[in-house]
Amino acid sequence: METKIFQADILDAARLIQQGKLVAFPTETVYGLGANALNEEAVKQVYQVKGRPSDNPLIVHVSSFEMVEQYAEDIPILMKPLVEAFWPGPLTLIVKGKKGVFPDCVTGGLATVAFRMPDNQKTLQLISQAGVPLVGPSANTSGKPSPTTAAHVYHDLKGKIAGILDDGATQIGVESTVLDLTSEDNIPMILRPGAVTRNDLEKVVGTVAIDQHLIKENEAPKAPGMKYKHYAPDTPVLIVEGSKEQWKEAISWATNNKKKVGIYVSQEIVDFLGTNDFIAVSFGKNTVENATRFLFAGLRELDGKNVDIIFAQAFPEELLGAAYMNRLKKAANQNFFKS
């Protein structure tokens, strides 16, 4: 199969969606693998192409709140202020779906549906012109680092999907916050942290809980990205936290064990180490925003450098750092470097 790259010809990409084919699309977070969410056969292709477990529900991408109203019922009163505050944007909202609308392969057999309106004009046009909501899991091989450029998608899925709508590199770099609005106590619960933080949400709706539960391989998650190990490159990853001296210890340990080392760090740490005993991918200025935006791209780049181990920089698990560390800890299978 030829995989076409679309730039401005969005109508052509929308026609492929209408024909039941798969088209990857850009968002502000990562690239999604698009298919008509109402077409069971098209959605099943998404699972096959990604190699994704079919018990893992998919996020339904819409171009308006009115589209949600077509497919959801008993919409909680909290949803409207959240939509007004954060849509379009990196927030996915789980609500009760209308029976018989979405196939089980979209919902994972659950009565709930996860909806998101992405903050990308090309993709909003794609959804509108296709006339249907789109599923949109990350457009990559399941479990591997998510794609943040069209080139990443092409690397993973060339010849497996009909097209890729290219809009350059994503701005945030990790998937959306997932907020469950269906709890019995009516307290919204974060199932997956993202760029919309708990603090942001509580300013709009009051108390918000966080699900700290790690889904095991034999459990069915309520939202994507909840598996214990996820976002992982082929190369083992260890997280390095603490002082700059801890980085020296990590590099020394690896080189003493004859391991070729890759590091994902700020330029400040690269400059401090001042050695050629590693291959570095720097995210530049030492901020969690930079670290988050380039995390998946950095892991992908180091994975292609034939290194034996990747060390990645930790950040405090607060605000955006919660989303960054959520992805990094899953990429590392929860493993930290211990001196």
Side-chain angles (χ1 to χ4, degrees):
M1 179 191 301
E2 179 188 0
T3 299
K4 298 179 180 178
I5 306 295
F6 298 101
Q7 301 288 346
D9 38 0
I10 296 172
L11 183 57
D12 290 341
R15 287 184 180 130
L16 290 175
I17 294 289
Q18 292 169 341
Q19 293 165 14
K21 296 179 180 177
L22 308 188
V23 176
F25 57 81
T27 76
E28 74 282 25
T29 59
V30 301
Y31 273 71
L33 182 52
N36 179 351
L38 307 175
N39 183 330
E40 183 173 7
E41 291 307 311
V43 175
K44 285 181 176 178
Q45 286 182 56
V46 170
Y47 285 105
Q48 291 166 1
V49 164
K50 282 181 61 67
R52 179 188 177 105
S54 59
D55 67 344
N56 214 354
L58 302 174
I59 292 171
V60 175
H61 293 69
V62 298
S63 56
S64 66
F65 180 67
E66 288 69 30
M67 190 175 275
V68 174
E69 292 178 311
Q70 282 183 258
Y71 302 113
E73 64 182 15
D74 300 332
I75 294 175
I77 194 169
L78 292 179
M79 187 171 188
K80 198 65 181 291
L82 287 166
V83 165
E84 290 172 351
F86 301 111
W87 279 16
L91 177 64
T92 294
L93 298 170
I94 295 178
V95 296
K96 187 177 178 182
K98 289 182 179 177
K99 290 182 179 178
V101 173
F102 294 108
D104 284 351
C105 53
V106 171
T107 63
L110 301 171
T112 53
V113 181
F115 290 100
R116 174 162 119 80
M117 183 178 174
D119 189 10
N120 182 281
Q121 286 304 309
K122 283 189 176 182
T123 291
L124 293 178
Q125 289 175 41
L126 175 68
I127 297 168
S128 295
Q129 292 186 17
V132 292
L134 304 182
V135 296
S138 56
N140 61 306
T141 303
S142 185
K144 299 304 179 185
S146 300
T148 54
T149 68
H152 294 161
V153 181
Y154 195 76
H155 174 272
D156 283 16
L157 303 181
K158 174 187 176 183
K160 297 180 180 180
I161 63 175
I164 302 168
L165 182 58
D166 186 1
D167 195 32
T170 63
Q171 296 303 304
I172 294 173
V174 296
E175 296 82 356
S176 61
T177 304
V178 177
L179 188 68
D180 185 2
L181 298 180
T182 65
S183 63
E184 292 182 2
D185 59 9
N186 294 319
I187 295 177
M189 178 173 286
I190 295 173
L191 302 186
R192 182 180 73 185
V196 177
T197 68
R198 185 183 194 176
N199 282 8
D200 295 332
L201 295 167
E202 290 189 331
K203 289 175 183 176
V204 176
V205 296
T207 302
V208 172
I210 297 180
D211 185 357
Q212 304 285 5
H213 167 223
L214 287 172
I215 299 292
K216 302 295 190 295
E217 287 305 314
N218 61 347
E219 292 183 76
K222 194 171 186 179
M226 294 181 71
K227 293 285 188 179
Y228 194 86
K229 184 178 181 182
H230 206 71
Y231 316 111
D234 291 331
T235 308
V237 177
L238 286 178
I239 303 167
V240 179
E241 58 183 352
S243 67
K244 293 176 181 177
E245 292 300 325
Q246 183 87 339
W247 277 95
K248 281 192 172 180
E249 289 185 31
I251 300 296
S252 295
W253 170 83
T255 52
N256 289 342
N257 284 277
K258 297 182 170 51
K259 293 182 182 292
K260 186 177 179 182
V261 182
I263 63 173
Y264 178 71
V265 290
S266 67
Q267 189 60 42
E268 179 183 326
I269 289 177
V270 174
D271 295 340
F272 168 78
L273 291 172
T275 173
N276 294 319
D277 292 338
F278 54 79
I279 295 173
V281 169
S282 166
F283 50 77
K285 190 176 179 181
N286 191 24
T287 67
V288 71
E289 289 78 13
N290 279 2
T292 302
R293 182 179 182 188
F294 299 111
L295 174 62
F296 292 141
L299 293 178
R300 281 175 170 268
E301 183 175 344
L302 288 168
D303 205 28
K305 298 292 189 182
N306 197 32
V307 295
D308 300 311
I309 194 165
I310 296 170
F311 292 127
Q313 182 176 341
F315 275 87
E317 293 188 51
E318 56 191 25
L319 302 178
L320 183 58
Y324 172 79
M325 290 301 294
N326 170 272
R327 305 317 192 275
L328 181 54
K329 286 198 290 188
K330 289 179 179 178
N333 200 19
Q334 317 297 314
N335 293 315
F336 286 74
F337 171 75
K338 303 295 183 184
S339 56

